[in-house]
Amino acid sequence: MSLLEELEDLTPAGRAVFSIGGMWCASCARAIEKTLIRVVGIESAQINFTAASALITWNPQRVNFHQLVQRVEALGYSISPWLTPKKAQQSLKKQTQKLSLQLAIAVVFGMWSMLGSWVLYLSSNPFEVEYNLALTTLLLALPVVLYSGLDFYRAAFNTLRLGIAGMDAFISLGVWGSVIISVVNLSMGKTDVYLDAATMLITFLLLGRLIEIKAKTSSQKAIQALEKLSPETATRLVFNQQPASPTQEELAVSELSINDLVLVKAGERLAVDGLVEKGTSLLNNALLTGEFQPQKVAAGQLVYAGAINLTAPLEVRVVTATNKRRIDLLGLRMLELFSGRSTLAATAEKFVSLLFPITLSLALAALVYYLAIGQAFSQAILGSLSILVAACPCAVGMALPLAYALASYKAAQQGVVWKDPASIENLAQAEIMAFDKTGTLTLGKLQVTHLTLKAGWQAAEVAQFLLLVEAGNAHPLAEAITNYATAKLTKDNIPPLENENPPQIFSQGVALELANNQGPIHLGSHAWLSSLGVKDLPSLNPAEVYLSYRQEWIATLKLTDSLRPEAKGFLEGLVKEYGLDIWLMTGDSTAAAKALIDELKINFDQVVTHASPEEKAQIINKLPRNKLAFVGDGANDALVLASASAGIAMPGASSVAVAAAGVVITQDERGLEALAASLKLAKKFYRLVKQNLFFAVIYNLGVISLFFVLGVTPLAAAIAMLLSSLSVLLNTLRLIKN
């Protein structure tokens, strides 16, 4: 199927996410967006540079996909239906390899070229030596200018054609201004070359591009990690001549059709969205809801891909196409939400777009002025080009990537990974910090915290029964109970019992018949044991499970998810030190949330319970941009982490949450303390970058005005540019001071 045929098949939808190939920078994204809006039938286009994607809506009766493809390709880019995360990752890998090579060449050749330039600036040698050194400096700079900076010039050309003058256009002007001055001087027998400006600018901007590519890679990994939580294959039931005995066939999920019947065995993860047709079981829906307790499902209930079937086989009738499952829609929604540009980067771009026409006009005016006062044409050209070199936005280009690189290093020392500048800027500006409950403010693992025994029973005896009855059970409660029982027997050096009969798993508990008719063991809820006629049951407590032997209660286990020890102090600090509002947003019950709040003894500004990922995202998306940072750890938090202006993943977070977050805390022993340190560092980073941009703006406006009035030599322009960059560097170094 051709590209146009694929696109035309999407016509009735009116809205889709597309992959954009070859995007180099935020200016590229702006150019493509402006081009798409002009295509017949296109109603809106949102280009996401970070995700290399375009969210396009159109009028199905008027859209012209042929024109759309033509115009995008005319700019030098490609467009296609959304690539799978694997293909998108491969594309990013190639882009990263090319960028890394460009940066390596810029560093190696640029270093020697800059050294030659500064030897010429600072030393005095015979003319022949200096001329040869100047020529060598030019030759060393050529690989940087002609190869490493090539994509800047292409992006500048594409954006200027559409009337957009961004950073790339200004960079190209400064680079080639420096090169032309140097070539003109050499052709006139002079040794004044100023190629350090060109090579330094290209090197720093390439570093910034690598940071942006890293953010793009993270967004792709988030979608890829979410897809991995849904199986690639499923077991389809095929009914031939004997309806009572269908055959089973294993096939790819993409080959399933609506109304196919799928068998989901106990312990397997669901691969489809569908209706339960046969069977009763418990599902772990934490991926999609964050709900702590498993959900009981039976015939007629809707179930979703990604859930884990815990207890018994289910037959599920497929109701949704593979690419339209709830888990697929979550992935696409995450893709739409990833931020493409940081706020400070946008500020820098805006400044440059305003400065570009002013500088160009002043350079032309200077040329006319110098000619009018009688200067030779060659001198007038040099003076005009020197203004372009002086105005080259080196400091603007350095301000963000340099500060981000140093701050990221500092954060890593504190056990925190920063993944993109946008998230850090937004974290620094956040007015609200919202928290998931389980695994964020709590440790995220159930533990048996208290054992109540009937008179005459010992803890070791109960532990032996617990290991027998929970053998092979994948339920989260079973894992906590098994861990407790194993630790108890190990500590007392008591061997576990053996029993040939397998346990039976029910919706509210488990049962085991001991060998030699020694009697049944039951472990489960108060209501279940009561319905079985168990005697001597104590009063009901929702956080407890009950154990019986031969229809008599013998023990009660209390299971809780422990509060992080640093949680209370951290939350109080957010309010007192930074004046932040604190929210609790959880898929757990209102009772579970209330128990946590009572234990913390802290009043949250807003509490949201029983919330699905989509509901949490809707709440966040109603807030102003840069308003809310969200802290979570589960796969169900991925959409919310992408929706928030700053997503923060706690230690031990799922791979999906880690991929979706912009900040990842790696040290479990520090947890929220590491987040507090990172918040402080983020605010310092944001403040210093704003200062850097302020210095750069003042420099550019002041120097251009001064040089226009007083005149400028190429050496003075180069020194002024160096001083500007030096001020940014020295200010940024304050980040790594204690």
Side-chain angles (χ1 to χ4, degrees), residues 103 106-107 110 114 144 152 198-208:
L103 182 58
V107 170
M114 288 179 67
V144 184
F152 290 111
T199 56
M200 181 173 66
L201 188 59
I202 290 172
T203 302
F204 272 105
L205 268 295
L206 285 171
L207 177 61

Side-chain angles (χ1 to χ4, degrees), residues 589-636:
S589 65
T590 303
K594 184 178 184 303
L596 175 77
I597 294 169
D598 290 343
E599 187 174 2
L600 283 169
K601 295 182 174 58
I602 286 179
N603 293 322
F604 286 87
D605 294 281
Q606 184 164 330
V607 177
V608 181
T609 59
H610 294 291
S612 69
E614 293 91 339
E615 289 168 342
K616 291 180 184 179
Q618 287 172 2
I619 293 170
I620 291 174
N621 291 333
K622 291 177 182 178
L623 297 170
R625 184 171 172 77
N626 306 330
K627 183 86 171 179
L628 181 144
F630 182 84
V631 189
D633 77 315
N636 66 295

Side-chain angles (χ1 to χ4, degrees), residues 115 162 190 358 409 423 587 590 605 651 657 668 675 710 735:
L115 180 61
L162 295 169
K190 297 180 179 180
I358 295 173
Y409 169 75
S423 295
T590 303
D605 294 281
D668 193 30
L675 175 54
L710 302 179
L735 273 171

Side-chain angles (χ1 to χ4, degrees), residues 452-471:
T452 303
L453 297 170
K454 185 176 183 178
W457 284 87
Q458 301 296 319
E461 294 176 289
V462 168
Q464 288 178 314
F465 280 179
L466 292 173
L467 280 183
L468 286 177
V469 78
E470 292 289 21

Side-chain angles (χ1 to χ4, degrees), residues 302-571:
L302 185 63
V303 292
Y304 296 101
I308 301 173
N309 183 18
L310 294 173
T311 56
L314 293 173
E315 292 181 11
V316 178
R317 184 74 64 183
V318 179
V319 298
T320 306
T322 302
N323 59 350
K324 293 184 179 179
R325 298 169 302 174
R326 188 180 179 195
I327 197 170
D328 300 316
L329 299 179
L330 281 175
L332 287 176
R333 183 65 182 134
M334 283 169 59
L335 185 67
E336 295 173 14
L337 290 168
F338 281 116
S339 176
R341 295 167 70 207
S342 65
T343 54
L344 290 173
T347 301
E349 282 279 353
K350 186 175 181 180
F351 163 67
V352 168
S353 67
L354 294 172
L355 189 63
F356 181 84
I358 295 173
T359 304
L360 198 58
S361 299
L362 283 174
L364 292 174
L367 176 62
V368 173
Y369 173 71
Y370 296 147
L371 290 173
I373 61 175
Q375 286 190 5
F377 182 75
S378 59
Q379 288 298 114
I381 283 287
L382 281 176
S384 177
L385 288 173
S386 295
I387 287 180
L388 292 181
V389 173
C392 189
C394 282
V396 178
M398 289 172 58
L400 184 60
L402 181 61
Y404 181 74
L406 290 176
S408 297
Y409 169 75
K410 184 74 172 179
Q413 291 180 319
Q414 299 171 344
V416 182
V417 176
W418 286 7
K419 293 168 63 179
D420 67 270
S423 295
I424 307 309
E425 294 169 22
N426 293 335
L427 175 60
Q429 299 176 83
E431 298 175 16
I432 301 168
M433 190 167 287
F435 298 86
D436 180 41
K437 182 179 76 69
T438 306
T440 301
L441 295 175
T442 69
L443 294 173
K445 292 183 179 179
L446 279 175
Q447 295 177 324
V448 176
T449 55
H450 187 72
L451 177 67
T452 303
L453 297 170
K454 185 176 183 178
W457 284 87
Q458 301 296 319
E461 294 176 289
V462 168
Q464 288 178 314
F465 280 179
L466 292 173
L467 280 183
L468 286 177
V469 78
E470 292 289 21
N473 192 348
H475 194 293
L477 293 174
E479 182 182 358
I481 292 169
T482 299
N483 290 341
Y484 167 78
T486 302
K488 177 62 180 172
L489 293 182
T490 302
K491 180 181 178 182
D492 295 346
N493 198 24
I494 298 174
L497 296 176
E498 294 184 4
N499 189 67
E500 59 187 25
N501 297 328
Q504 291 180 287
I505 302 175
F506 300 93
S507 60
Q508 297 186 63
V510 287
L512 175 69
E513 187 68 37
L514 294 176
N516 302 320
N517 296 318
Q518 294 184 50
I521 301 173
H522 291 94
L523 176 69
S525 69
H526 191 281
W528 186 54
L529 266 66
S530 179
S531 70
L532 295 174
V534 172
K535 302 174 183 177
D536 301 328
L537 274 173
S539 58
L540 170 66
N541 188 318
E544 295 176 343
V545 294
Y546 303 84
L547 180 70
S548 70
Y549 175 59
R550 291 180 176 178
Q551 298 299 103
E552 290 188 4
W553 169 81
I554 61 171
T556 299
L557 292 85
K558 184 175 183 179
L559 292 97
T560 58
D561 182 9
S562 301
L563 189 70
R564 285 187 178 273
E566 73 277 18
K568 181 176 174 62
F570 171 74
L571 293 172

